[in-house]
Amino acid sequence: MRSWTLLLVAGLLETAWAIGLKYTHGFTRPLASVLTGLAIAGSMILLGLAAKELPIGTAYAVWVGIGAFGAAVLGMVLFKEPVTAGRIFFLVLLLVAVMGLKATAPA
């Protein structure tokens, strides 16, 4: 269970750095750039730790899925990106895929 917790936090940090990229303005804002860099490093480190026990294909797919889902949702909320039925449908599919990978992963 520890590996899954690490992977969840890694995915949340991936969401943070993806959103953080917008705030760096091309890495011209020092504080946003440093925080984004720390989120990138933390995300990678936690992914690596989780992958010690989880299959890398599953760990990577779940990590990317959490990050993509979070970045898309926060993009809609924070940056007024389009909210369409199609986007919501595919985000739900992405969430189902991440949960399916977790449910079918070796114990």
Side-chain angles (χ1 to χ4, degrees):
M1 192 59 166
R2 177 180 176 270
S3 296
W4 286 104
T5 302
L6 292 174
L7 190 57
L8 173 64
V9 175
L12 294 174
L13 285 172
E14 187 190 5
T15 298
W17 70 255
I19 294 300
L21 286 173
K22 273 293 242 196
Y23 291 104
T24 69
H25 288 268
F27 294 99
T28 60
R29 292 187 172 165
L31 180 59
S33 298
V34 168
L35 292 174
T36 298
L38 290 172
I40 291 170
S43 182
M44 292 288 182
I45 289 167
L46 293 177
L47 172 62
L49 292 172
K52 286 169 67 174
E53 295 180 15
L54 299 173
I56 190 60
T58 300
Y60 183 74
V62 169
W63 177 72
V64 168
I66 293 169
F69 180 87
V73 170
L74 286 177
M76 288 184 257
V77 172
L78 298 174
F79 307 124
K80 310 279 190 267
E81 293 176 0
V83 179
T84 65
R87 288 187 86 190
I88 299 301
F89 173 75
F90 287 110
L91 284 170
V92 169
L93 283 181
L94 180 58
L95 191 58
V96 168
V98 167
M99 291 186 313
L101 286 169
K102 162 79 169 85
T104 60

